[in-house]
Amino acid sequence: MSLLRAVRLNVKTHVLCRNIIARFASSHTDGETRITRILQEKFPHASSLKVVDISGGCGAMYEIHIESDEFRGKRTVQQHQLVNQALKDEIKAMHGLRIFTDVPGK
C-alpha cells in the first residue's frame, strides 16, 4: 500500500469514527427519549436523570440513574418499585433493566 493511499484511508477512517462518536454523543434513541419523558413526568423534581440503552440501540435493555427527593426515607427496593411502576408498560417489551436510585445530597 502506498503511503498516500494509507494516509487517505486513515483520514477517511478518522472522519467516519468522529462522525459516529458525535452522533452517539449528541443523540438519544427513541426508547431513551420515551423512558426519560415518562420518568420526568413521574418524578418532576428529580435532580438527576440519565437513561441509557445498553443493548446497542435495539431497546432490549436499559440502565437508569435517577436521583430524587421522593426516594428519601425509602429503602432501595421501594425506590426501585417506584421506578418499575412508572415504567410498567415499557418493561413488558424489555429484556432487562438496571436501576440506580439515590437521594440528593446523600
Side-chain angles (χ1 to χ4, degrees):
M1 180 183 308
S2 73
L3 179 59
L4 181 57
R5 186 171 177 208
V7 168
R8 285 182 184 157
L9 182 60
N10 189 30
V11 168
K12 285 181 184 178
T13 302
H14 175 73
V15 169
L16 178 62
C17 289
R18 187 178 57 196
N19 289 343
I20 290 171
I21 290 168
R23 181 177 164 262
F24 282 105
S26 65
S27 65
H28 298 284
T29 66
D30 290 341
E32 290 170 338
T33 303
R34 186 178 63 255
I35 291 169
T36 299
R37 186 177 60 248
I38 291 167
L39 292 174
Q40 285 173 334
E41 289 172 9
K42 176 64 180 174
F43 304 100
H45 303 292
S47 57
S48 176
L49 174 60
K50 181 178 178 184
V51 178
V52 180
D53 183 339
I54 57 174
S55 63
C58 71
M61 188 162 182
Y62 291 90
E63 183 171 293
I64 296 171
H65 295 262
I66 183 168
E67 185 176 285
S68 178
D69 210 33
E70 294 175 64
F71 300 141
R72 192 171 306 280
K74 292 179 175 55
R75 295 175 300 155
T76 302
V77 70
Q78 293 170 316
Q79 296 171 10
H80 290 203
Q81 286 171 340
L82 289 173
V83 174
N84 280 315
Q85 181 61 31
L87 299 174
K88 65 182 176 185
D89 294 332
E90 285 68 30
I91 288 174
K92 294 174 187 176
M94 291 181 197
H95 174 71
L97 178 63
R98 295 173 63 184
I99 301 172
F100 299 90
T101 55
D102 207 352
V103 176
K106 185 175 174 185

